[in-house]
Structures are given as structure tokens and as C-alpha cells.
Amino acid sequence: MAAIPRGTDFRIIPCLSKEEVEKLTAVQPATLAEAGAIAGVTPKALFYVYQHLKRGAPRSDPAAHSRASPELLRQAVAAAVSFAAEDTGVPEALMHHFPMTDDA
């Protein structure tokens, strides 16, 4: 699963709610999957975290890449789909928006 660098400043990620920032900061998840397992962190928030990682921020991690691989995107989508299907009760009519489901 896609790694989230330790010490990531979630406050600088646009569009995260105050609640999501607080929870992500408190837990400091190591991966997108761990972030998706936090109650109150939405699939949309996982996408914003993914975008933040894709841009290479924070740059304090020398191993961070400025461009994310397709595998990182696939993992982010899979984490979001798993979270949406299991924890948020997404109506079946909306599941077609999540291409990684078994129904696709």
C-alpha cells in the first residue's frame, strides 16, 4: 500500500475538513489503507492525500518522488473503494463510481 511519510503536515492539504486533519494528524497513518481505516476520513480525503503524495510533498523525505506511479494510484483507489463499500454504506446505485469493485 502507498506509504505516507512520517510527519506529513495534513493541514496544508487543500480540501480536507478540520476533523480529517485532526484525525490524520493524531494517528499519523503509515499508508493510505491505514488512513482509510480511520473513522471520519472519507474516500475523497484519501484522494487528496494521494494527490499531495503524488506532488512529492513534503519534500523533507528524500525518497519521495515528484510523480506517483500508476500502482500508487491503483492502491489509493482500492483503499477508497474498500472504505466506501464497507464503512460508509455507499448505495449500490453509486458503486459504479468506484471501478475497482467486483461489480465493475
Side-chain angles (χ1 to χ4, degrees):
M1 192 46 60
I4 299 173
R6 186 160 176 77
T8 296
D9 186 358
F10 295 101
R11 296 173 300 169
I12 64 172
I13 301 174
C15 302
L16 293 182
S17 71
K18 183 178 178 181
E19 176 188 10
E20 290 166 335
V21 170
E22 289 172 356
K23 290 183 177 190
L24 289 166
T25 300
V27 175
Q28 284 294 313
T31 65
L32 287 173
E34 288 179 18
I38 301 170
V41 175
T42 65
K44 193 171 190 177
L46 294 177
F47 179 75
Y48 291 131
V49 171
Y50 161 75
Q51 286 294 316
H52 180 73
L53 296 173
K54 180 180 171 184
R55 291 185 182 115
R59 297 209 179 259
S60 59
D61 180 5
H65 299 282
S66 61
R67 299 179 74 204
S69 67
E71 178 64 16
L72 180 62
L73 176 59
R74 188 196 66 72
Q75 291 173 353
V77 169
V81 167
S82 174
F83 177 78
E86 295 174 12
D87 298 329
T88 63
V90 173
E92 187 65 35
L94 298 178
M95 287 308 295
H96 67 277
H97 291 289
F98 298 94
M100 300 293 289
T101 64
D102 294 331
D103 299 337

